[in-house]
Amino acid sequence: MARFMDVHEGMKGITADELREAHAADLAIEGEENVHFERAWADPESGVVYCLSEAPSSEAVQRVHERTGHPAAHIHEVPLTV
């Protein structure tokens, strides 16, 4: 499976609890798309949220995010890690 970093925009003011809730919502249904969300980060000031996942495709990542109410603005495959 490939790794993906997705970017969400427009989440200005997001709190730690809201980030945990959004991540938990993704985790609750990720298996239906054979996706695994590893971690999420947020910048409440800019409203940008990042999620790292392993998935069969970027489309699978987006389907999970859409179903949980927070579609990604951008999804990037991450082919190299050090």
Side-chain angles (χ1 to χ4, degrees):
M1 285 213 290
R3 280 190 132 172
F4 296 92
M5 178 68 72
D6 60 74
V7 182
H8 303 263
E9 299 171 345
M11 300 180 88
K12 194 167 187 164
I14 190 170
T15 66
D17 286 340
E18 290 169 333
L19 181 62
R20 272 191 288 278
E21 288 172 15
H23 186 64
D26 290 335
L27 294 177
I29 65 167
E30 68 181 9
E32 296 172 21
E33 293 286 348
N34 199 27
V35 173
H36 174 61
F37 289 96
E38 297 178 19
R39 185 172 298 269
W41 299 266
D43 177 2
E45 189 172 314
S46 69
V48 176
V49 172
Y50 304 92
C51 300
L52 180 66
S53 62
E54 287 189 346
S57 67
S58 62
E59 293 84 7
V61 173
Q62 186 71 290
R63 284 191 297 268
V64 173
H65 281 321
E66 287 175 350
R67 290 179 54 201
T68 57
H70 47 273
H74 310 280
I75 302 175
H76 306 277
E77 187 170 357
V78 184
L80 297 175
T81 303
V82 294

